[in-house]
Amino acid sequence: MRQAGFLAAAGIYALDHHVERLTIDHSHAQILADELVNAAGWLMYWPAETNIVVFDTVEPAALVLQKAG
């Protein structure tokens, strides 16, 4: 639990200094999610409502990267 203070300090700093950046981060996450939905071989688990994008590959990731490469 000692490390929780460091994480909390980082969160407080971010809220104090970078809140305006969240709008940009949210729009970038939405662009990434939209592209992954339209690309073959990717599964989206949840819609991107924040700056978090949760996805997986249909095939093993190494095969997906080889095909894209």
Side-chain angles (χ1 to χ4, degrees), residues 1 3 5 8 12 19-20 25 28-29 32 38 40 46 50-52 54 57-58 61 65 69:
M1 288 304 290
Q3 291 80 12
I12 291 169
V19 171
E20 65 281 349
D25 290 344
H28 285 167
L32 174 61
N38 295 325
W46 297 285
T50 63
N51 60 343
I52 298 172
V54 181
T57 58
V58 175
L65 292 173

Side-chain angles (χ1 to χ4, degrees), residues 10-53:
I12 291 169
Y13 182 86
L15 289 172
D16 288 344
H17 295 93
H18 300 290
V19 171
E20 65 281 349
R21 171 80 191 181
L22 284 175
T23 304
I24 297 167
D25 290 344
H26 290 269
S27 64
H28 285 167
Q30 189 61 54
I31 292 168
L32 174 61
D34 291 344
E35 292 299 319
L36 288 173
V37 165
N38 295 325
W42 301 95
L43 296 172
M44 294 296 298
Y45 286 111
W46 297 285
E49 297 174 353
T50 63
N51 60 343
I52 298 172
V53 179

